[in-house]
Amino acid sequence: WRIFTIVENDKNGDSKKKDYLNPLVKESVRILIDTIHEAFYDRYRDDFGSTIAGFFSDEPGFYNDKESFDYNSKLGKKGVTLPWSADMNKMLEEEFGSDYKKYLPFLWHDGEEMMSKVRFSYMNLVSMLYAENFTKQIGDWCREHSVEYIGHIVEDNNLHTGLGAGTGHFFRALEGQDMSGLDVVLWQLNPGFDEIPSRSFSGEADNEFYNYGLAKMAASLAHLDPKKKGRTMAEVFGAYGWVEGLKLMKWLTDHMLVRGVNYFVPHAFSPKEYPDYDCPPHMYARGKNPQYRYYQYLNQYTNRMSHLLSGGTHVASAAVLYHAEAEWSGDFMYFQKPVKELMRNQIDCDILPCGAIIGDVHVRNAKLISQDETFDCLIIPYSKALPISLIKRLTEFANQGLSIFFIDGLPQRSCEGEVVNDVLGFLAVNENVEVILLDSLAEKMKNVGYYDIHVKDAQPYLRYYHVKHQDLDVYMFFNEHPIHEIETEVELPVTGKIMFYDAYENILRDAHVRAEGGKSLISLKLAPFETILVVSGTGLSGLEGSPIINRLQTASTVEGPWSLSTTTSLQYPAFTPWGQLESLSDLSRIESLKSFSGTMRYETEFDWNIGDNRAVIDLGDVYETAEVIVNGESLGVRISTPYQFELSGNLKYGKNSLVVEVTNTLVKENPDTLSRIAQHEPSGLLGPVRIFVEE
């Protein structure tokens, strides 16, 4: 015999949030609305819907665990208070009968199928109550008062399906909001760390989730829910430390854009005196941030990209099942596992939760239709158990001709414990259902033609995103690798006029295109961190692009010597001479410049006696923002690779003056705690500085 004592209490598990509202209880959440939302409305009602756009929730959750951000705060963890309400008693009694209380110990203690059934039922109920009484209630109030409700939850390390700081179910938790949302902080995204785990401030980071799950999950919700109008908001840049500059910020922005995120909340501007140690970097830092004057270039780029990637229809080949219900019920596979295989092979997808598959999507012409999107197939990550209604829905889809791929095996039972052997048997023999291994998924998709674009060779770090507007197809291509260049050929399912759009320079360029059948092949060459848009359609009628520069050959190398001067952010543009450099090197290795944060000006002259062919200056390695001035004329600013500037029209025969201003980050001056887990890059211009001419 075992005797269990279960106590109902009115305090939360997290002592810091002991008086936190209960998100499962409508009346509890109403106190929040009356205290905050109604008070704002009473005072500023004339500004609602104009000056005041709405309300933002930052990381609401259950917070039932005394360890606030324990990513393993899931059912079965001993000594943890669980979210509860009077409604839970009624709902569990309806499901398990009047003696439901005798099954409650399974929420903490191990068992077999009954444990799985109880845990599934509990998580299903608390996540639905959270959605109904917290998010939907606040969202409905906002919409009734002509404003919107946005925000994000804690998704970290797969916590979006769990308890603690989680909310049980990502899609349900944000359903009542007017935008989908997420945040990226604390080095959750780090270029090059997309597979192996890495150490973070809160333990070991699941980098597969952060790279292949987080943003894709959020953007999928925006595509699924009509009231979100395709909008996904990301809170970005925060708590990376002063080691983060505009170069990394652009990589983070592109990482989000190429997964469908199109609204950005930069974190953050601090009104406090510098240094404020609360989650730097801070954009302005009371004038101390030397890169702030260049921040406009990132914002202008982001606005252009977001504009072109918004408002159309996202084109993707596959829908992937969200794994929450499977995780609550037994052995399972994270949804990001198949997503990773697809993304590394340029096959795009959306994530669909069980509820959407059961009630919101349908099959037409053997394709899965979700709002405006059409998918060739449905992919089910390995799930030992799935909800009975979902299993039956899958049989309907298979009968209608939809291809369904189960990764590593069919389910063995239902989450509710009902016998479904006949239905599972049907799936096992249906010609439209196939069990495949995870590492065979991408190859299978390509073999049956379930892809939008085709890349001629393996490019695991080439990311793409396709949006179809009424008169324009927009393809974003991004080299996500921090070191290696990508050079390849891409086959697009479009014909006619095709051009490159450089959103950073705001320039349309001609593209090298050759037609083949009903498709077009384009050549792509992308430096690390580089992005290009390929655009096609009648929307280009009447537009002329700048001629693309053909292959380049080295004309000369600018050797120096270089005159070096420096300035801080507050002193700029007044420079202090430092001395002469015979060759380029990392200035942070020079004792007097080891802790220098600001702008370094390099000045020299070079001779030019080559003809009128188009010419480009390439700075080589730069750390990290660069402005080039030739013969007194600025050629522009680059905040990340490639550090190339066109010289055509600025050169003269004979002597030419060259000035390169390079601005680093505040980490050299202020190596804060948040920067200590990051790679610290050099300072200044490392080169080699070369001039190329068109062949």
Side-chain angles (χ1 to χ4, degrees), residues 519-596:
K519 300 188 177 182
S520 300
L521 288 93
I522 61 166
S523 298
L524 278 185
K525 186 175 182 180
L526 296 173
F529 286 40
E530 189 177 7
T531 292
I532 195 71
L533 291 180
V534 179
V535 290
S536 171
T538 58
L540 297 177
S541 295
L543 296 177
E544 296 297 326
S546 301
I548 193 169
I549 297 179
N550 293 310
R551 290 196 172 273
L552 298 171
Q553 60 183 5
T554 305
S556 63
T557 301
V558 181
E559 300 285 359
W562 303 82
S563 296
L564 178 68
S565 54
T566 63
T567 185
T568 65
S569 177
L570 294 178
Q571 294 167 337
Y572 188 87
F575 284 83
T576 301
W578 182 87
Q580 193 97 331
L581 291 172
E582 294 302 319
S583 61
L584 298 174
S585 62
D586 177 7
L587 296 187
S588 67
R589 292 181 176 271
I590 298 174
E591 185 61 33
S592 62
L593 295 173
K594 186 166 61 175
S595 59
F596 174 75

Coordinates of all heavy atoms in Angstrom, one line a residue, residues 519-596:
K519 N 11.3 26.7 -65.8 CA 12.0 27.1 -64.6 C 13.2 28.0 -65.0 O 13.6 28.2 -66.1 CB 12.5 26.0 -63.8 CG 11.3 25.1 -63.3 CD 11.7 24.0 -62.4 CE 10.5 23.2 -61.9 NZ 10.8 22.2 -60.9
S520 N 13.7 28.7 -63.9 CA 14.9 29.6 -64.1 C 16.0 29.2 -63.2 O 15.7 28.9 -62.0 CB 14.5 31.0 -63.9 OG 13.5 31.4 -64.8
L521 N 17.2 29.2 -63.7 CA 18.4 28.9 -62.9 C 19.2 30.2 -62.6 O 19.5 30.9 -63.6 CB 19.3 27.9 -63.5 CG 18.7 26.5 -63.5 CD1 17.9 26.2 -64.8 CD2 19.7 25.4 -63.3
I522 N 19.5 30.5 -61.4 CA 20.2 31.7 -61.1 C 21.5 31.3 -60.3 O 21.5 30.3 -59.6 CB 19.4 32.7 -60.2 CG1 19.0 32.0 -58.9 CG2 18.2 33.2 -60.9 CD1 18.5 33.0 -57.9
S523 N 22.5 32.1 -60.5 CA 23.8 31.9 -59.8 C 23.8 32.7 -58.5 O 23.4 33.9 -58.5 CB 25.0 32.2 -60.7 OG 25.0 31.4 -61.8
L524 N 24.1 32.1 -57.4 CA 24.2 32.8 -56.1 C 25.6 32.7 -55.6 O 26.2 31.6 -55.6 CB 23.3 32.1 -55.1 CG 21.8 32.5 -55.1 CD1 21.1 31.8 -53.9 CD2 21.6 34.0 -55.0
K525 N 26.1 33.8 -55.1 CA 27.4 33.9 -54.4 C 27.2 34.8 -53.2 O 26.9 36.0 -53.3 CB 28.5 34.4 -55.3 CG 29.9 34.3 -54.6 CD 31.0 34.8 -55.6 CE 32.3 34.6 -54.9 NZ 33.4 35.1 -55.9
L526 N 27.3 34.2 -52.0 CA 27.0 34.9 -50.7 C 28.1 34.7 -49.8 O 28.6 33.6 -49.4 CB 25.7 34.4 -50.1 CG 24.4 34.5 -50.9 CD1 23.3 33.8 -50.2 CD2 24.1 36.0 -51.0
A527 N 28.6 35.9 -49.3 CA 29.6 35.9 -48.2 C 29.0 35.4 -46.9 O 27.8 35.4 -46.8 CB 30.3 37.3 -48.1
P528 N 29.8 35.0 -45.9 CA 29.2 34.8 -44.6 C 28.4 36.0 -44.1 O 28.8 37.1 -44.3 CB 30.4 34.5 -43.7 CG 31.5 34.1 -44.6 CD 31.2 34.8 -45.9
F529 N 27.2 35.7 -43.6 CA 26.2 36.7 -43.1 C 25.5 37.4 -44.2 O 24.7 38.3 -43.9 CB 26.9 37.7 -42.2 CG 27.3 37.3 -40.8 CD1 27.8 36.0 -40.6 CD2 27.2 38.1 -39.8 CE1 28.2 35.6 -39.3 CE2 27.6 37.8 -38.5 CZ 28.1 36.5 -38.3
E530 N 25.8 37.2 -45.5 CA 25.2 38.0 -46.5 C 23.8 37.5 -46.9 O 23.5 36.3 -46.9 CB 26.1 38.0 -47.8 CG 25.7 39.0 -48.8 CD 26.6 39.0 -50.0 OE1 27.5 38.2 -50.1 OE2 26.4 39.9 -50.9
T531 N 23.0 38.4 -47.3 CA 21.6 38.2 -47.7 C 21.3 38.8 -49.1 O 21.8 39.9 -49.3 CB 20.6 38.7 -46.7 OG1 20.7 38.0 -45.5 CG2 19.2 38.7 -47.1
I532 N 20.5 38.2 -49.9 CA 20.0 38.8 -51.1 C 18.6 38.4 -51.3 O 18.2 37.3 -50.9 CB 20.9 38.4 -52.3 CG1 20.6 39.3 -53.5 CG2 20.7 36.9 -52.7 CD1 21.2 40.7 -53.4
L533 N 17.8 39.2 -51.9 CA 16.4 38.9 -52.4 C 16.4 38.7 -53.9 O 17.0 39.5 -54.6 CB 15.5 40.0 -52.0 CG 15.2 40.3 -50.5 CD1 14.2 41.4 -50.3 CD2 14.6 39.0 -49.9
V534 N 15.8 37.7 -54.3 CA 15.5 37.4 -55.7 C 14.0 37.7 -55.9 O 13.2 37.1 -55.3 CB 15.9 36.0 -56.1 CG1 15.6 35.7 -57.6 CG2 17.3 35.7 -55.8
V535 N 13.7 38.6 -56.9 CA 12.4 39.0 -57.1 C 12.0 38.7 -58.6 O 12.8 38.9 -59.5 CB 12.1 40.5 -56.8 CG1 12.2 40.7 -55.3 CG2 13.2 41.4 -57.5
S536 N 10.7 38.3 -58.7 CA 10.3 38.0 -60.1 C 8.8 38.3 -60.2 O 8.0 38.1 -59.2 CB 10.5 36.5 -60.3 OG 9.9 36.0 -61.5
G537 N 8.3 38.7 -61.4 CA 6.9 38.9 -61.6 C 6.6 40.2 -62.3 O 7.5 41.0 -62.7
T538 N 5.3 40.4 -62.6 CA 4.9 41.6 -63.3 C 5.1 42.9 -62.6 O 5.1 43.9 -63.2 CB 3.4 41.4 -63.7 OG1 2.6 41.3 -62.5 CG2 3.1 40.2 -64.6
G539 N 5.3 42.8 -61.3 CA 5.6 44.0 -60.5 C 6.9 44.6 -60.8 O 7.2 45.7 -60.4
L540 N 7.7 43.9 -61.6 CA 9.0 44.5 -62.0 C 8.9 45.2 -63.4 O 9.9 45.8 -63.8 CB 10.0 43.4 -62.2 CG 10.4 42.6 -60.9 CD1 11.4 41.5 -61.2 CD2 11.0 43.5 -59.8
S541 N 7.7 45.2 -64.0 CA 7.6 45.9 -65.3 C 8.0 47.3 -65.2 O 7.6 48.1 -64.3 CB 6.1 45.8 -65.7 OG 5.7 44.5 -66.0
G542 N 8.8 47.7 -66.2 CA 9.3 49.1 -66.2 C 10.5 49.4 -65.3 O 11.0 50.6 -65.4
L543 N 10.9 48.5 -64.5 CA 12.0 48.8 -63.6 C 13.3 48.3 -64.3 O 13.4 47.2 -64.8 CB 11.8 48.0 -62.3 CG 10.6 48.5 -61.4 CD1 10.5 47.7 -60.2 CD2 10.7 50.0 -61.1
E544 N 14.3 49.1 -64.1 CA 15.6 48.7 -64.6 C 16.6 48.5 -63.5 O 16.6 49.3 -62.5 CB 16.2 49.8 -65.6 CG 15.3 49.9 -66.9 CD 15.3 48.7 -67.7 OE1 16.4 48.0 -67.7 OE2 14.3 48.4 -68.4
G545 N 17.4 47.5 -63.6 CA 18.4 47.3 -62.5 C 19.8 47.7 -62.8 O 20.1 47.9 -64.0
S546 N 20.6 47.9 -61.8 CA 22.0 48.3 -62.0 C 22.7 47.0 -62.6 O 22.4 45.9 -62.1 CB 22.6 48.7 -60.7 OG 22.0 49.8 -60.2
P547 N 23.6 47.2 -63.5 CA 24.3 46.0 -64.0 C 25.0 45.3 -62.9 O 25.7 45.9 -62.1 CB 25.3 46.6 -65.1 CG 24.7 48.0 -65.4 CD 24.0 48.4 -64.1
I548 N 24.9 44.0 -62.9 CA 25.6 43.2 -61.9 C 27.1 43.2 -62.2 O 27.4 43.2 -63.4 CB 25.1 41.8 -61.7 CG1 25.6 41.1 -60.5 CG2 25.3 41.0 -63.0 CD1 24.9 39.8 -60.1
I549 N 28.0 43.3 -61.3 CA 29.4 43.2 -61.6 C 29.8 41.8 -61.9 O 29.5 40.8 -61.1 CB 30.2 43.7 -60.4 CG1 29.9 45.2 -60.1 CG2 31.7 43.5 -60.6 CD1 30.6 45.8 -59.0
N550 N 30.4 41.6 -63.0 CA 30.8 40.3 -63.4 C 32.0 39.8 -62.6 O 32.4 40.5 -61.6 CB 31.1 40.2 -64.9 CG 29.9 40.4 -65.7 OD1 28.9 39.7 -65.5 ND2 29.9 41.3 -66.7
R551 N 32.6 38.8 -63.0 CA 33.8 38.2 -62.2 C 34.8 39.3 -62.0 O 35.2 40.0 -63.0 CB 34.3 37.0 -62.9 CG 33.4 35.8 -62.8 CD 34.1 34.5 -63.1 NE 33.2 33.4 -62.8 CZ 33.1 32.8 -61.6 NH1 33.8 33.2 -60.6 NH2 32.3 31.8 -61.4
L552 N 35.4 39.3 -60.9 CA 36.4 40.3 -60.5 C 37.8 39.7 -60.5 O 38.0 38.5 -60.2 CB 36.1 40.9 -59.1 CG 34.8 41.7 -59.0 CD1 34.6 42.0 -57.5 CD2 34.8 42.9 -59.8
Q553 N 38.8 40.5 -60.8 CA 40.2 40.0 -60.7 C 41.0 41.1 -59.9 O 40.7 42.3 -60.0 CB 40.8 39.8 -62.1 CG 40.9 41.0 -63.0 CD 41.4 40.7 -64.3 OE1 41.7 39.6 -64.6 NE2 41.6 41.8 -65.2
T554 N 42.0 40.6 -59.2 CA 42.7 41.5 -58.3 C 43.5 42.5 -59.2 O 44.3 42.1 -60.1 CB 43.7 40.8 -57.4 OG1 42.9 39.8 -56.6 CG2 44.4 41.7 -56.4
A555 N 43.4 43.8 -58.9 CA 44.2 44.8 -59.6 C 45.4 45.2 -58.8 O 46.5 45.4 -59.3 CB 43.3 46.0 -60.0
S556 N 45.1 45.4 -57.5 CA 46.2 45.9 -56.6 C 45.9 45.6 -55.2 O 44.7 45.4 -54.8 CB 46.5 47.4 -56.8 OG 45.4 48.1 -56.5
T557 N 46.9 45.7 -54.3 CA 46.7 45.6 -52.9 C 47.2 46.8 -52.2 O 48.3 47.3 -52.6 CB 47.4 44.4 -52.3 OG1 47.0 43.2 -52.9 CG2 47.2 44.3 -50.8
V558 N 46.4 47.4 -51.4 CA 46.8 48.7 -50.7 C 47.6 48.3 -49.5 O 47.0 47.7 -48.5 CB 45.5 49.5 -50.3 CG1 46.0 50.8 -49.6 CG2 44.7 49.8 -51.5
E559 N 48.9 48.5 -49.5 CA 49.8 48.1 -48.5 C 49.9 49.1 -47.3 O 50.3 48.7 -46.2 CB 51.1 47.8 -49.1 CG 51.1 46.7 -50.2 CD 50.9 45.3 -49.6 OE1 50.9 45.1 -48.3 OE2 50.9 44.3 -50.4
G560 N 49.7 50.3 -47.6 CA 50.0 51.3 -46.6 C 51.4 52.0 -46.8 O 51.8 51.9 -48.0
P561 N 52.1 52.5 -45.9 CA 51.7 52.5 -44.4 C 50.5 53.4 -44.2 O 50.0 54.1 -45.0 CB 53.0 53.2 -43.8 CG 53.5 54.0 -44.9 CD 53.3 53.3 -46.1
W562 N 49.9 53.1 -43.0 CA 48.7 53.8 -42.6 C 48.9 54.7 -41.4 O 49.5 54.4 -40.4 CB 47.6 52.7 -42.2 CG 47.4 51.6 -43.2 CD1 48.1 50.5 -43.4 CD2 46.3 51.6 -44.1 NE1 47.5 49.8 -44.4 CE2 46.4 50.4 -44.8 CE3 45.2 52.5 -44.3 CZ2 45.5 50.1 -45.8 CZ3 44.2 52.1 -45.3 CH2 44.4 50.9 -46.0
S563 N 48.3 55.9 -41.5 CA 48.2 56.8 -40.4 C 47.0 56.5 -39.6 O 45.9 56.4 -40.1 CB 48.1 58.3 -40.9 OG 49.3 58.6 -41.6
L564 N 47.1 56.3 -38.3 CA 46.0 55.9 -37.4 C 45.7 57.0 -36.5 O 46.6 57.6 -35.8 CB 46.4 54.6 -36.7 CG 45.3 54.1 -35.7 CD1 44.1 53.6 -36.4 CD2 45.9 53.0 -34.8
S565 N 44.4 57.3 -36.4 CA 43.9 58.2 -35.3 C 42.6 57.6 -34.7 O 42.0 56.7 -35.3 CB 43.6 59.6 -35.9 OG 42.7 59.5 -37.0
T566 N 42.3 58.0 -33.6 CA 41.1 57.4 -32.8 C 40.2 58.5 -32.3 O 40.6 59.6 -32.1 CB 41.6 56.5 -31.7 OG1 42.3 57.3 -30.7 CG2 42.6 55.4 -32.2
T567 N 39.0 58.1 -32.0 CA 38.0 58.9 -31.3 C 37.0 58.1 -30.6 O 36.7 57.0 -31.1 CB 37.3 59.9 -32.3 OG1 36.5 60.8 -31.6 CG2 36.5 59.1 -33.3
T568 N 36.5 58.6 -29.5 CA 35.4 57.9 -28.8 C 34.1 58.4 -29.4 O 34.0 59.3 -30.2 CB 35.4 58.2 -27.3 OG1 35.2 59.6 -27.1 CG2 36.8 57.8 -26.7
S569 N 33.0 57.8 -29.0 CA 31.7 58.1 -29.5 C 31.3 59.6 -29.2 O 30.8 60.3 -30.0 CB 30.6 57.2 -28.8 OG 29.3 57.6 -29.2
L570 N 31.7 60.1 -28.0 CA 31.3 61.4 -27.6 C 32.2 62.4 -28.3 O 31.8 63.6 -28.5 CB 31.4 61.6 -26.1 CG 30.4 60.8 -25.2 CD1 30.7 61.0 -23.8 CD2 29.0 61.2 -25.6
Q571 N 33.4 62.1 -28.7 CA 34.3 63.0 -29.4 C 34.1 63.1 -30.9 O 34.5 64.1 -31.5 CB 35.8 62.6 -29.1 CG 36.2 62.6 -27.7 CD 37.5 61.9 -27.4 OE1 37.9 61.0 -28.2 NE2 38.2 62.3 -26.3
Y572 N 33.6 62.0 -31.5 CA 33.4 62.0 -32.9 C 32.7 63.2 -33.4 O 31.7 63.7 -32.8 CB 32.6 60.7 -33.3 CG 32.6 60.4 -34.8 CD1 33.6 59.7 -35.4 CD2 31.5 60.9 -35.5 CE1 33.5 59.5 -36.8 CE2 31.5 60.7 -36.9 CZ 32.5 60.0 -37.5 OH 32.5 59.7 -38.9
P573 N 33.2 63.8 -34.6 CA 34.2 63.4 -35.5 C 35.6 64.0 -35.3 O 36.4 64.0 -36.2 CB 33.6 63.9 -36.8 CG 33.0 65.1 -36.5 CD 32.4 65.0 -35.1
A574 N 35.9 64.4 -34.1 CA 37.2 64.9 -33.8 C 38.1 63.8 -33.4 O 37.9 63.1 -32.4 CB 37.2 65.9 -32.6
F575 N 39.2 63.5 -34.2 CA 40.1 62.4 -34.0 C 41.4 62.9 -33.4 O 41.9 64.0 -33.6 CB 40.4 61.7 -35.3 CG 39.3 60.8 -35.8 CD1 38.2 61.4 -36.5 CD2 39.3 59.5 -35.6 CE1 37.2 60.6 -37.0 CE2 38.3 58.7 -36.1 CZ 37.2 59.2 -36.8
T576 N 42.0 62.0 -32.6 CA 43.3 62.2 -32.0 C 44.3 61.3 -32.7 O 44.2 60.1 -32.8 CB 43.3 61.8 -30.5 OG1 42.3 62.6 -29.8 CG2 44.6 62.0 -29.9
P577 N 45.4 61.9 -33.2 CA 46.4 61.1 -33.9 C 47.0 60.1 -33.0 O 47.3 60.4 -31.8 CB 47.4 62.1 -34.4 CG 46.7 63.4 -34.4 CD 45.7 63.4 -33.3
W578 N 47.2 58.9 -33.5 CA 47.9 57.8 -32.7 C 49.3 57.5 -33.1 O 50.2 57.4 -32.3 CB 47.0 56.5 -32.7 CG 47.6 55.4 -31.8 CD1 47.3 55.2 -30.5 CD2 48.5 54.4 -32.3 NE1 48.0 54.1 -30.1 CE2 48.8 53.6 -31.1 CE3 49.1 54.1 -33.5 CZ2 49.6 52.5 -31.2 CZ3 50.0 53.0 -33.5 CH2 50.2 52.2 -32.4
G579 N 49.5 57.4 -34.5 CA 50.8 57.1 -35.0 C 50.7 56.4 -36.3 O 49.7 56.4 -37.0
Q580 N 51.8 55.8 -36.7 CA 51.9 55.1 -38.0 C 51.8 53.6 -37.8 O 52.4 53.0 -36.9 CB 53.3 55.5 -38.6 CG 53.4 55.1 -40.1 CD 53.1 56.3 -41.0 OE1 52.3 57.1 -40.6 NE2 53.7 56.3 -42.2
L581 N 51.2 52.9 -38.8 CA 51.1 51.5 -38.8 C 51.7 51.0 -40.2 O 51.3 51.4 -41.2 CB 49.7 51.0 -38.8 CG 48.9 51.1 -37.5 CD1 47.4 50.7 -37.7 CD2 49.5 50.3 -36.4
E582 N 52.8 50.2 -40.1 CA 53.4 49.7 -41.3 C 52.6 48.6 -41.9 O 52.6 48.4 -43.1 CB 54.8 49.2 -41.0 CG 55.8 50.3 -40.5 CD 55.9 51.4 -41.6 OE1 56.0 51.0 -42.8 OE2 55.9 52.6 -41.2
S583 N 51.8 47.9 -41.1 CA 50.9 46.8 -41.6 C 49.7 46.7 -40.7 O 49.7 47.2 -39.6 CB 51.7 45.5 -41.6 OG 52.1 45.1 -40.3
L584 N 48.7 46.1 -41.2 CA 47.4 46.0 -40.5 C 47.4 44.8 -39.6 O 47.9 43.7 -39.9 CB 46.3 45.8 -41.5 CG 46.1 47.0 -42.5 CD1 45.0 46.6 -43.5 CD2 45.7 48.3 -41.7
S585 N 46.9 45.0 -38.4 CA 46.8 43.9 -37.4 C 45.7 44.3 -36.4 O 45.1 45.3 -36.4 CB 48.1 43.7 -36.7 OG 48.5 44.9 -36.0
D586 N 45.5 43.3 -35.5 CA 44.5 43.5 -34.4 C 44.9 44.6 -33.4 O 45.9 44.4 -32.7 CB 44.3 42.2 -33.7 CG 43.3 42.2 -32.6 OD1 42.7 43.3 -32.4 OD2 43.2 41.2 -31.9
L587 N 44.2 45.7 -33.4 CA 44.6 46.8 -32.5 C 44.4 46.5 -31.1 O 45.0 47.1 -30.2 CB 43.9 48.1 -32.9 CG 44.1 48.6 -34.3 CD1 43.4 50.0 -34.5 CD2 45.6 48.8 -34.6
S588 N 43.6 45.5 -30.7 CA 43.4 45.2 -29.3 C 44.5 44.5 -28.7 O 44.6 44.2 -27.5 CB 42.1 44.4 -29.1 OG 42.2 43.1 -29.7
R589 N 45.5 44.1 -29.6 CA 46.7 43.5 -29.1 C 47.8 44.5 -28.8 O 48.9 44.1 -28.3 CB 47.3 42.4 -30.1 CG 46.3 41.2 -30.2 CD 46.9 40.2 -31.2 NE 46.1 39.0 -31.3 CZ 46.2 38.0 -30.5 NH1 47.2 37.9 -29.6 NH2 45.4 36.9 -30.6
I590 N 47.6 45.7 -29.1 CA 48.5 46.8 -28.8 C 48.1 47.4 -27.4 O 47.0 47.7 -27.2 CB 48.4 47.9 -29.9 CG1 48.8 47.4 -31.2 CG2 49.3 49.1 -29.5 CD1 48.6 48.4 -32.4
E591 N 49.1 47.4 -26.5 CA 48.8 47.7 -25.1 C 48.0 49.0 -25.0 O 47.0 49.0 -24.2 CB 50.1 47.8 -24.4 CG 50.0 48.0 -22.9 CD 49.3 46.9 -22.2 OE1 49.4 45.7 -22.6 OE2 48.5 47.1 -21.2
S592 N 48.3 50.0 -25.7 CA 47.6 51.3 -25.5 C 46.2 51.3 -26.0 O 45.4 52.2 -25.8 CB 48.5 52.5 -26.1 OG 48.6 52.3 -27.5
L593 N 45.9 50.3 -26.9 CA 44.6 50.3 -27.5 C 43.8 49.1 -27.1 O 42.7 48.8 -27.6 CB 44.7 50.3 -29.0 CG 45.3 51.6 -29.7 CD1 45.5 51.4 -31.1 CD2 44.4 52.8 -29.4
K594 N 44.3 48.3 -26.1 CA 43.7 47.1 -25.7 C 42.3 47.3 -25.2 O 41.4 46.4 -25.5 CB 44.6 46.4 -24.6 CG 44.1 45.0 -24.2 CD 45.1 44.3 -23.4 CE 45.5 45.0 -22.1 NZ 46.4 44.3 -21.3
S595 N 42.0 48.3 -24.5 CA 40.7 48.6 -24.0 C 40.0 49.8 -24.7 O 39.1 50.4 -24.1 CB 40.8 48.8 -22.5 OG 41.6 50.0 -22.2
F596 N 40.4 50.0 -26.0 CA 39.8 51.1 -26.7 C 38.5 50.7 -27.3 O 38.5 49.8 -28.1 CB 40.8 51.7 -27.7 CG 40.1 52.7 -28.6 CD1 39.9 54.0 -28.1 CD2 39.7 52.5 -29.9 CE1 39.3 55.0 -28.9 CE2 39.1 53.4 -30.6 CZ 38.9 54.7 -30.1

